[in-house]
Amino acid sequence: VWQQRPPWWHRDRNMKSITCSIPDSLYCALQSRLATEGATLDHVVSTLLGQSVGQSFHTLFQVSTSAALVEGLYQGAVRVSKLLEHGDFGLGTFVDLDGEMVVLEGKVYQVTASGEVGEVEGDRLIPYAVVTRFRADIEIGGAIFADFTALTEACDGRRTSDNLFYAFRVDGVFQLVQTRVMRTVAAGVSLGTAATGQANFNFENIRGTLIGLWAPGYAGAFIVPGYHFHFLSEDRKSGGHVLDCRARDLTLQACSISELHVSLPKTSEFLQADLTRDPNQQLISAERSHSPEK
Ligand SMILES: [Zn+2]
């Protein structure tokens, strides 16, 4: 065994262990890679194997850009089945902003403004989404969050850099989760205007999962910068874009992301749009109405 796992490490139920023999030269190369990257053996071997079999780990796959969303470009660009080829975990939205998208354990869910949740078929076209293959680099148990700010501070503590992307998965029983869900709007209605008509939900004592992404500020032209969390209950009947939450004894898993794949729509809507405006101000008001701002 090359590396002692830290005490907070627990085996992921979706992980398998392998034992194999490799040549001395490869062993040395692997050891030097571990030393250079400061990463775990699990991380390095998964990444390298994933690359050779066409499954990239620690890669963010994004459809369209946040600037396009802010400008009201909500036409379908990519099918759900293609999205799932690139990731099993993430968030996004639907054509005409019809609800909030949650991608969890390889399934795509739509949370609608009526509060209903349904699994989405593979042939549906979607306008915007961000997914990754979630494989935790770290996991901590017994996490307590008094509010959304405490959640983001706990996640900050798991990030080793302000310049990489991160995915966060939080599981457990929540005393409170406040979500919002977008309502369908006509094409061309800006995200800021659309956000004023959203539906709001309060869930109490509910078991479920937070699906979160963190993006650096420099990426604000194409992805929502900072934290962005969606919620899905364990019974897959409730969810939405998270505005606030409170919970104790949660499990927090984090995974760093250093590769990006942005798939730009080839719709006439996208090709002809003026995307020169800085979307950040509108994104902050549309996506982060939780207080205090973070
Ligand atoms: Zn959202």
Side-chain angles (χ1 to χ4, degrees):
V1 177
W2 289 348
Q3 286 163 303
Q4 203 63 45
R5 290 214 170 79
W8 37 255
W9 181 272
H10 307 293
R11 267 272 161 232
D12 187 316
R13 60 187 182 281
N14 298 320
M15 302 287 267
K16 299 280 178 290
S17 294
I18 59 167
T19 307
C20 63
S21 301
I22 55 173
D24 274 347
S25 57
L26 212 47
Y27 182 89
C28 293
L30 199 50
Q31 272 189 320
S32 74
R33 178 124 179 194
L34 288 175
T36 332
E37 290 193 10
T40 63
L41 179 62
D42 292 2
H43 177 117
V44 170
V45 171
S46 296
T47 303
L48 293 174
L49 266 180
Q51 282 166 359
S52 68
V53 301
Q55 286 193 7
S56 28
F57 292 93
H58 304 278
T59 297
L60 202 66
F61 177 80
Q62 173 165 318
V63 177
S64 191
T65 70
S66 49
L69 263 196
V70 162
E71 298 296 342
L73 277 61
Y74 313 129
Q75 275 184 11
V78 162
R79 290 194 196 281
V80 160
S81 53
K82 176 163 181 203
L83 192 64
L84 290 175
E85 286 172 17
H86 294 274
D88 53 16
F89 178 96
L91 32 85
T93 190
F94 293 92
V95 170
D96 297 335
L97 284 189
D98 184 13
E100 307 285 338
M101 180 192 294
V102 180
V103 185
L104 185 61
E105 294 173 354
K107 290 182 176 158
V108 175
Y109 299 91
Q110 180 178 21
V111 185
T112 62
S114 67
E116 281 160 35
V117 179
E119 199 181 327
V120 181
E121 335 70 82
D123 58 358
R124 275 272 284 283
L125 284 165
I126 52 106
Y128 177 84
V130 191
V131 296
T132 188
R133 270 179 225 286
F134 190 90
R135 296 296 175 273
D137 299 326
I138 61 164
E139 173 175 325
I140 53 166
I144 297 172
F145 311 128
D147 56 22
F148 192 85
T149 303
L151 166 66
T152 61
E153 283 168 359
C155 293
D156 282 345
R158 304 298 142 203
R159 289 193 295 107
T160 52
S161 171
D162 286 336
N163 300 326
L164 293 179
F165 292 69
Y166 288 86
F168 294 95
R169 174 175 174 158
V170 183
D171 290 276
V173 179
F174 294 81
Q175 290 155 284
L176 174 75
V177 183
Q178 281 183 354
T179 68
R180 76 97 206 272
V181 178
M182 287 291 197
R183 282 182 211 283
T184 310
V185 294
V189 174
S190 75
L191 192 68
T193 307
T196 60
Q198 66 197 27
N200 291 290
F201 298 95
N202 282 333
F203 305 111
E204 291 178 9
N205 299 314
I206 187 165
R207 183 177 285 278
T209 303
L210 298 181
I211 292 91
L213 292 169
W214 184 88
Y218 68 73
F222 64 94
I223 190 169
V224 179
Y227 287 101
H228 187 178
F229 283 93
H230 285 190
F231 173 74
L232 189 65
S233 63
E234 188 184 52
D235 63 10
R236 308 302 191 236
K237 286 182 178 161
S238 313
H241 171 101
V242 177
L243 300 178
D244 203 358
C245 65
R246 184 169 69 239
R248 52 199 295 185
D249 199 20
L250 296 173
T251 305
L252 168 65
Q253 300 179 85
C255 146
S256 68
I257 296 167
S258 51
E259 306 275 340
L260 301 181
H261 179 164
V262 180
S263 177
L264 298 176
K266 291 185 196 125
T267 56
S268 58
E269 179 189 60
F270 186 85
L271 298 176
Q272 282 148 32
D274 176 3
L275 301 178
T276 53
R277 274 203 296 176
D278 178 359
N280 279 317
Q281 215 38 55
Q282 273 220 49
L283 274 178
I284 287 166
S285 59
E287 297 291 327
R288 317 253 184 96
S289 39
H290 31 71
S291 55
E293 292 292 343
K294 173 80 188 180

